[in-house]
Amino acid sequence: MTTIDHFNLRNFDLNLLIAFDAMMEELNVTRAAARLKIQQPAMSHSLKTLRMLFDDELFVRVGQTMKPTSRARSLASRVRAVLQKAEDALAFSEQFSPLTEQRTFRLGFSSELEVHLLPELMAHLRVVAPGVRLVARHAERQNLHALLNSGDIDLAIGCFGEQAQWQRSEILFEEQLACCFNPALMPFTSPIGQQDYLTQPHALMSFTGSLMGCVENAFNRAGASLNAVFSAPNFLALLSFAQHSPVLVTLPSRIARRYGKLFGLVLCPVPLQLEVFPNSIVWPVNADSDPALEWLREQIRDVNQRIEPADVVAH
DNA sequence: CAGAGTGCTGAGTCCGGGTT
DNA sequence: AACCCGGACTCAGCACTCTG
């Protein structure tokens, strides 16, 4: 491999080569300037510098055109080759090959997505990328930034609220709430009326230690308050509780639909106009250029779409 | 008269010296 | 070693002059 004299290159403005190439293309200072999106005097200044550096006129005015000198003509092909190589180098990006890649991804999931999305995602990855391994971590609003910041996870999926400036995110799906109850223990049938919904005892998911958890603001904005008697960070505990007690469980509609029946519960829409909860893929900005993570985000979108194409609970 | 070249200016960047 | 500051330098644009 040949060495590069960085000191000499440091003192040579490589933009001058671009100006030279544009002049060779246009043979006109004004048009060459327009090509580089600069004003004609700036191009003229560059030409003056090039003339000084190469100790040659390079282009001489003959009537209405600028004729290249023999020195300029001999430089032209070499300058073009340099610029072409630079362009190729900048356009190059590392390719990611799912079938041959050996890599461990570390993903953060909110608790419901751990069971709802992760198994299907892993099953899918085993087929399309057999060399890929996955380490799942539990991620919630409270620890998301720390996990991403420390590099403990490559990306996270869930309902996390506002992202930091050094993070990127894309909405994967918008979640609605639904409720479940054991019809044998409750004095009504599905669909439940608003009055019953607001007065009956409730169990909710919460990661904050409060009874209402992250849905509290949504209910406040809807002008409603629930009679919350139980909260847990795990939806299985809520469903199991509702199986044995006369209580309403309000939780993400995907979870309610998929697991409610397993606990002998009936599903019904929440009889309130509540906002939706955006669930996003979140990753650090510095992972933007990683083709493997870009590929993984695409797989997550695909798997999510396959699991639940239309995530709607009818009101 | 169209287009190239020049002088001047402002904005941005670099760099070296002083200070903490 | 890190930070700050002021002077020097670079670059591009404006206004104008020059030239073929």
Side-chain angles (χ1 to χ4, degrees), chain A residues 49-307:
Chain A
T49 310
L50 279 164
R51 283 167 171 157
M52 195 184 69
L53 287 168
F54 286 109
D55 195 22
D56 188 272
E57 269 299 291
L58 297 176
F59 299 91
V60 290
R61 189 171 174 175
V62 179
Q64 295 292 82
T65 75
M66 299 290 278
K67 280 199 80 160
T69 63
S70 58
R71 182 82 201 279
R73 284 197 299 274
S74 73
L75 279 169
S77 61
R78 278 177 286 166
V79 168
R80 171 54 65 94
V82 166
L83 295 178
Q84 192 64 57
K85 280 187 179 178
E87 195 171 77
D88 291 348
L90 292 172
F92 175 80
S93 68
E94 219 176 310
Q95 293 297 305
F96 174 74
S97 175
L99 283 173
T100 56
E101 185 78 9
Q102 297 288 324
R103 176 159 172 175
T104 302
F105 291 110
R106 298 174 187 281
L107 309 188
F109 286 86
S110 58
S111 69
E112 69 270 24
L113 290 177
E114 270 171 2
V115 289
H116 194 65
L117 180 64
L118 180 56
E120 274 82 354
L121 177 64
M122 195 57 219
H124 172 70
L125 292 181
R126 292 303 303 156
V127 175
V128 298
V132 161
R133 296 169 296 277
L134 238 174
V135 176
R137 295 279 299 267
H138 188 65
E140 296 297 341
R141 274 168 212 251
Q142 290 74 28
N143 65 350
L144 170 72
H145 298 323
L147 286 171
L148 283 173
N149 204 14
S150 61
D152 284 348
I153 56 173
D154 299 309
L155 57 83
I157 309 162
C159 181
F160 303 118
E162 289 291 304
Q163 265 71 64
Q165 271 192 329
W166 53 272
Q167 293 167 351
R168 294 220 194 288
S169 69
E170 61 173 85
I171 292 178
L172 190 60
F173 63 90
E174 290 186 323
E175 182 77 284
Q176 293 183 333
L177 295 180
C179 67
C180 293
F181 60 92
N182 183 342
L185 301 176
M186 299 297 274
F188 44 72
T189 55
S190 178
I192 184 173
Q194 194 178 99
Q195 185 64 27
D196 285 332
Y197 182 77
L198 294 175
T199 53
Q200 291 297 319
H202 263 270
L204 294 154
M205 285 181 73
S206 171
F207 311 99
T208 60
S210 70
L211 271 172
M212 287 291 287
C214 64
V215 300
E216 181 163 19
N217 288 339
F219 280 96
N220 286 343
R221 280 192 277 275
S225 64
L226 296 184
N227 175 23
V229 298
F230 175 68
S231 76
N234 186 317
F235 69 89
L236 291 172
L238 301 182
L239 294 170
S240 182
F241 178 45
Q243 185 180 24
H244 298 103
S245 298
V247 66
L248 287 166
V249 175
T250 294
L251 71 178
S253 61
R254 289 182 162 207
I255 295 296
R257 264 177 305 191
R258 188 159 174 181
Y259 297 98
K261 274 185 194 164
L262 298 178
F263 288 80
L265 307 179
V266 295
L267 170 72
C268 65
V270 172
L272 291 167
Q273 285 295 329
L274 293 176
E275 62 199 52
V276 294
F277 295 84
N279 279 255
S280 307
I281 308 175
V282 184
W283 65 96
V285 169
N286 60 15
D288 258 354
S289 55
D290 186 336
L293 284 178
E294 192 180 329
W295 173 85
L296 182 61
R297 292 198 297 273
E298 192 182 325
Q299 304 313 302
I300 292 168
R301 285 193 296 271
D302 287 353
V303 169
N304 175 69
Q305 192 66 29
R306 232 179 297 152
I307 292 173

Side-chain angles (χ1 to χ4, degrees), chain A residues 10-23:
Chain A
R10 169 73 180 81
N11 292 297
F12 184 91
D13 182 358
L14 296 178
N15 282 316
L16 290 172
L17 295 183
I18 299 170
F20 175 84
D21 192 60
M23 275 299 296

